[in-house]
Amino acid sequence: MVIETELNLSLTPGVASRLAKHPLLTDARPIRQRVVNTYYDTADQRLRRERVIVRHGRKGTTSLSSIRRESLPEGRPAGHGEWELVGTPGELDFSQVKDGTLRHLLESVRTELRPAFTASFTRSAWLLAPREDVRIELALDRGWIEAEGRRQAICEIRLELLSGDVADLFSTASELQTDLSLHPQATSKLLRGYRILAEEPLPVVKALPIEINTGMSAIAAFRTIGLACLKHLQSNEQGLRESDNPEFVHQARVAIRRLRSAIRVWKPLLPQDFVSNFDPLWQALARQLGETRNWDVFLAETLPSIVPAFPDPEGATLARLSNYAQRRCAINRQAARSTLKTDDYSRLLLEFTAAILALPEGEARPLDTFVPRCLDKRAKQVRQLAAQALRGDATARHRLRVAYKRLRYALEFFASLFPGERLRNYHLSASGLQEMLGRLNDLAVASELIHEALPGEQGEDIRCWLDGQAEQLLPELGGLLNDFHQQAAPWKESLVVA
């Protein structure tokens, strides 16, 4: 979702047919154009790997070619902008590209370039004036993306802020959402085109590194991290809705956990109503995905370890357990899919994005004082809960796991602020503790699930066996905790000040 001056929202054809009747549009006359954008690349998709976009577009009777380089991974520079190529339609004159490195790349592959895919659609555009000095263009695109005989429908709107504030853009989108089902669009036409071209399955997307620096205020850093968490969530939502791959559920849940962890890290600096409004909503969604994930893990990992421990010639008990787990997996996955298709979820994405962009800077507290205190606080919580976890039960170990995850996510959020390998080594050295806490949690959750599937005495033997497995791991947990306590906090003197 582009959030600087544009919002892209998907909608169904049925909703699109009602768009022109919305009160915001009834006084505006649409301008309709036929748009055909052809994207070029080599057979091995060299330009895609280099994040270079070469496009020939035709809008009505106007033709124009353009070149753009997107942000590159690993901090490499992204060139100097976008170039429109003037000349004969369809011919690409790379001499007009001012970036010498990019121009050399394009010239080197000129003979290999070919049309990769085409986005062709009818655009209906309205100029909206929701209040004085505010102008927003609403463009409805309906058509197809086509590649090598395969195609995918386009049905989406773009809201572009021409004058006014970003808040006006979101206010207009919210007003449209009141009457129409609109969902923030997670993927561009470009990315969808490449997926069709390569016949790629939907990818499971993990959290990417987040770049912040101490020149940012604490609120600006939170904004960057919060939007990155939303992107992580939305990158997996289509896979969750359309695939049975449990990793989509897992990554969507991780994205929400990271987001809620960020809210907790910055809670002292955030407006109270921001936290009280949004945290319960994300918590409810996380809880639903958590139930789905629990049954996925039980069926794929825990149940296979139970079966050899309970040889049964007839297998009746384990068969009932397996059948119940499969039904619960299917029911919970369908419930999660339904939730991600609701208007409430679409509104949450849009409203949270608007709220995070509108956060006041306040005193603009610098990160170089905020970060060490934040990490110290979370490390202290882990140390305090560690002793309780060794003496206590599964509940105490769960509290330790939650505290450790919050420390881990905070370390990931702030990783770009520390030089060299010190923070990374600290993180890796604690990976054994993370894995152990995860194993213990899986055993505790499995016991609860078996109590649901095989109530009373039916599942008592299996639950006792699971308790025994957990007890056997406790000495190893103690050793890992002891090693963790002996590590020096690498954030004490290694913060890079911009």
Side-chain angles (χ1 to χ4, degrees):
M1 180 166 51
V2 179
I3 51 92
E4 292 179 351
T5 59
E6 293 183 9
L7 281 173
N8 296 307
L9 306 163
S10 63
L11 64 168
T12 64
V15 173
S17 66
R18 305 199 312 270
L19 178 64
K21 299 177 183 178
H22 192 277
L24 281 177
L25 280 67
T26 51
D27 293 334
R29 296 188 63 181
I31 298 174
R32 290 187 173 86
Q33 285 183 315
R34 184 65 181 169
V35 180
V36 180
N37 289 326
T38 301
Y39 296 82
Y40 290 80
D41 207 337
T42 62
D44 63 353
Q45 298 185 16
R46 172 76 182 277
L47 296 188
R48 184 186 187 184
R49 295 197 303 276
E50 296 288 343
R51 306 290 184 92
V52 175
I53 303 168
V54 175
R55 183 183 72 186
H56 175 68
R58 190 174 73 249
K59 230 182 247 190
T61 59
T62 304
S63 293
L64 188 66
S65 298
S66 65
I67 293 171
R68 185 170 83 250
R69 172 163 247 170
E70 296 184 315
S71 298
L72 295 173
E74 300 173 3
R76 288 187 289 160
H80 303 292
E82 181 172 357
W83 294 268
E84 294 181 344
L85 306 184
V86 179
T88 305
E91 292 186 5
L92 302 172
D93 181 5
F94 298 137
S95 66
Q96 300 171 59
V97 177
K98 296 179 180 179
D99 181 343
T101 302
L102 177 56
R103 186 172 61 251
H104 177 75
L105 167 65
L106 293 169
E107 293 289 0
S108 71
V109 298
R110 173 187 289 279
T111 58
E112 302 174 54
L113 289 179
R114 63 176 189 175
F117 56 89
T118 299
S120 55
F121 48 89
T122 298
R123 171 166 290 170
S124 301
W126 292 261
L127 182 61
L128 309 182
R131 64 181 179 86
E132 189 178 358
D133 298 329
V134 176
R135 296 295 181 269
I136 295 171
E137 183 185 73
L138 186 156
L140 169 64
D141 294 344
R142 297 189 66 175
W144 302 92
I145 302 174
E146 300 182 76
E148 297 187 352
R150 298 178 295 275
R151 66 182 191 172
Q152 184 181 99
I154 296 172
C155 190
E156 59 198 46
I157 66 173
R158 185 198 66 200
L159 293 171
E160 182 177 3
L161 183 66
L162 304 179
S163 63
D165 299 325
V166 173
D168 297 313
L169 193 66
F170 281 90
S171 177
T172 300
S174 179
E175 191 170 348
L176 289 168
Q177 269 192 330
T178 301
D179 302 310
L180 303 168
S181 295
L182 304 174
H183 186 74
Q185 177 62 264
T187 55
S188 65
K189 294 183 181 73
L190 177 77
L191 180 55
R192 282 174 277 165
Y194 271 118
R195 286 180 181 171
I196 297 168
L197 177 66
E199 295 187 276
E200 294 177 353
L202 290 169
V204 175
V205 179
K206 296 184 177 181
L208 296 174
I210 300 172
E211 291 295 325
I212 60 175
N213 60 75
T214 52
M216 293 179 169
S217 69
I219 291 298
F222 173 73
R223 188 177 293 119
T224 299
I225 291 165
L227 293 175
C229 292
L230 283 188
K231 183 177 181 180
H232 182 199
L233 170 61
Q234 283 209 269
S235 296
N236 290 284
E237 67 180 19
Q238 185 181 357
L240 195 159
R241 291 195 305 261
E242 299 176 6
S243 169
D244 288 335
N245 184 344
E247 282 304 303
F248 287 114
V249 174
H250 177 49
Q251 287 303 320
R253 185 188 180 205
V254 168
I256 297 172
R257 277 205 314 240
R258 285 166 59 86
L259 179 57
R260 295 191 65 225
S261 181
I263 290 173
R264 280 174 163 73
V265 167
W266 271 269
K267 185 176 179 179
L269 306 183
L270 296 174
Q272 185 176 352
D273 60 346
F274 178 92
V275 177
S276 61
N277 286 343
F278 290 110
D279 191 54
L281 297 175
W282 290 120
Q283 183 182 36
L285 182 56
R287 185 179 296 115
Q288 184 173 41
L289 293 180
E291 292 174 2
T292 307
R293 177 63 179 167
N294 286 342
W295 283 107
D296 283 340
V297 171
F298 179 81
L299 194 60
E301 300 177 18
T302 311
L303 184 59
S305 69
I306 292 174
V307 171
F310 291 88
D312 182 354
E314 298 181 359
T317 300
L318 292 180
R320 286 201 308 275
L321 180 57
S322 178
N323 290 337
Y324 186 90
Q326 291 178 42
R327 288 197 304 273
R328 290 291 284 151
C329 271
I331 291 169
N332 281 296
R333 183 168 285 105
Q334 186 55 49
R337 287 171 176 164
S338 297
T339 297
L340 265 60
K341 294 177 182 178
T342 63
D343 290 343
D344 285 344
Y345 173 65
S346 298
R347 278 192 291 269
L348 173 59
L349 291 172
L350 204 61
E351 290 173 2
F352 184 79
T353 304
I356 205 172
L357 290 172
L359 284 172
E361 291 289 337
E363 298 178 359
R365 186 173 181 181
L367 279 178
D368 57 349
T369 58
F370 176 74
V371 170
R373 292 177 184 176
C374 166
L375 295 177
D376 278 342
K377 177 181 178 181
R378 272 144 191 82
K380 182 179 179 181
Q381 289 173 342
V382 171
R383 289 193 296 269
Q384 290 174 341
L385 291 172
Q388 299 175 24
L390 289 174
R391 296 192 303 267
D393 56 8
T395 301
R397 293 191 288 271
H398 176 70
R399 285 197 294 267
L400 171 62
R401 180 170 178 263
V402 170
Y404 176 76
K405 278 187 174 292
R406 290 176 181 169
L407 171 62
R408 174 188 148 205
Y409 291 147
L411 290 169
E412 292 175 358
F413 295 153
F414 300 133
S416 62
L417 303 179
F418 297 89
E421 298 293 314
R422 293 188 65 188
L423 192 67
R424 182 174 180 272
N425 291 340
Y426 177 85
H427 199 175
L428 289 176
S429 66
S431 60
L433 174 59
Q434 174 186 330
E435 181 181 350
M436 175 58 65
L437 290 170
R439 289 168 63 189
L440 287 165
N441 182 72
D442 290 345
L443 290 169
V445 170
S447 184
E448 295 175 3
L449 299 184
I450 289 172
H451 182 74
E452 175 187 329
L454 301 172
E457 296 181 359
Q458 298 179 64
E460 185 174 354
D461 290 346
I462 300 177
R463 292 195 298 275
C464 288
W465 181 81
L466 291 171
D467 291 343
Q469 296 296 302
E471 289 291 331
Q472 293 177 25
L473 295 175
L474 292 184
E476 187 176 349
L477 173 63
L480 290 168
L481 286 170
N482 184 60
D483 293 342
F484 180 75
H485 292 331
Q486 293 178 4
Q487 297 178 65
W491 55 84
K492 292 293 187 181
E493 299 178 356
S494 57
L495 188 67
V496 174
V497 179

